[in-house]
Amino acid sequence: MKLRVDLSPLKQLANKFNPDVPKFHVDTGFVAKTIDEILEEGILEVPLSDIATDFNLLSYQGRQVLLYIKDHSGKFDATLYDSTKGNRFHVAFCSKLQEMWRNNRSERYVSTNNLSGEFLIEDGRWAGYHREQRTKLNVCKYCLQKLNYRQSRDYRKRQQAFREFSLVDFFTDYSTCFDYEPRGLTDESKVGYTEDWPDISRQLRMDAGYRCSECLIDLSGYKSLCDVHHGNGVKSDNRPENLKVLCRDCHRRQPNHGGIFIHHHQMQIINQLRR
């Protein structure tokens, strides 16, 4: 979003009252970043009191976020070498975050919805000495347990969910709870398709009467909720036997689905059609 301001009327008025006003120039090349761009970069420091915790998930201005501590002074090098040495990032309002809240230490957290799994950490142990670098961090196990993410209240299930944790999968699983999708989900979903894919997809959906092959609902009145799924996950493989017409909800439940976002009101439409 570019900010453009026309100051010529102000200059004319100033010259009218004082012709000797020094000339000045305003650089209009300034580009204001959107909230989504800032969140994706992971540099938004907001008080924990501004983070919504509905359903124990974390959100900021209708966007799902996670929280992490950027300051890794004293363990910066160790974290770069071994991610288990770093601070865990949080995806839920777990007991650890609640403890930080009670101890008035919530201002240390940075909010982000970058899905790369890499976080910008810093080392500022001494005055005049500062380092920053992106590196992997691990998810907080207390968060997984709080949400019972993939049955994480069971110890063995929690260990498995921790080992296999993917931010893309996690944000996709809870996408219907939020008004806006992370930019990363949108960008990833567009990679790998052939140029003629829009025409192929449109024809297949028309031939199927916009009916989901899984739950059998008729989406002819809501064509935007009707997708075509690549069975083997290869988006360039458009063989008929590899393609299946699905509603958006059934599509996101398929293996290799990538990252499919559904607004809450869209899920309500699908559930109504199923009833």
Side-chain angles (χ1 to χ4, degrees), residues 8-26:
S8 55
L10 178 61
K11 291 181 181 180
Q12 292 174 2
L13 185 62
N15 289 331
K16 180 178 179 179
F17 288 99
N18 186 358
D20 298 325
V21 171
K23 293 182 178 180
F24 64 93
H25 172 72
V26 176

Side-chain angles (χ1 to χ4, degrees), residues 71-74 76-77 121-125 129-132:
D71 184 8
H72 277 64
S73 300
F76 183 84
D77 292 307
I121 65 172
E122 65 181 3
D123 180 15
R125 283 173 290 176
Y129 179 81
H130 184 265
R131 293 186 295 168
E132 288 188 340

Side-chain angles (χ1 to χ4, degrees), residues 154-170:
D154 175 83
Y155 175 79
R156 285 178 295 182
K157 294 285 188 180
R158 183 163 66 251
Q159 293 298 105
Q160 181 179 358
F162 177 77
R163 290 192 305 268
E164 300 175 354
F165 186 83
S166 161
L167 277 172
V168 171
D169 290 344
F170 181 82

Side-chain angles (χ1 to χ4, degrees), residues 130-192:
H130 184 265
R131 293 186 295 168
E132 288 188 340
Q133 188 167 328
R134 290 193 175 274
T135 189
K136 296 284 186 181
L137 294 178
N138 292 334
V139 67
C140 169
K141 292 182 180 179
Y142 294 111
C143 289
L144 302 184
Q145 185 175 9
K146 181 72 174 181
L147 297 172
N148 196 25
Y149 182 65
R150 301 192 175 177
Q151 300 179 329
S152 289
R153 286 176 186 154
D154 175 83
Y155 175 79
R156 285 178 295 182
K157 294 285 188 180
R158 183 163 66 251
Q159 293 298 105
Q160 181 179 358
F162 177 77
R163 290 192 305 268
E164 300 175 354
F165 186 83
S166 161
L167 277 172
V168 171
D169 290 344
F170 181 82
F171 273 63
T172 300
D173 288 343
Y174 291 102
S175 62
T176 58
C177 299
F178 302 93
D179 296 331
Y180 304 95
E181 63 178 320
R183 282 158 44 102
L185 286 184
T186 304
D187 295 342
E188 179 178 293
S189 67
K190 296 177 181 177
V191 176

Side-chain angles (χ1 to χ4, degrees), residues 103-118:
N103 295 332
N104 295 319
R105 301 184 69 191
S106 60
E107 74 282 351
R108 303 179 64 200
Y109 285 99
V110 174
S111 303
T112 182
N113 62 10
N114 186 303
L115 304 180
S116 68
E118 292 194 344

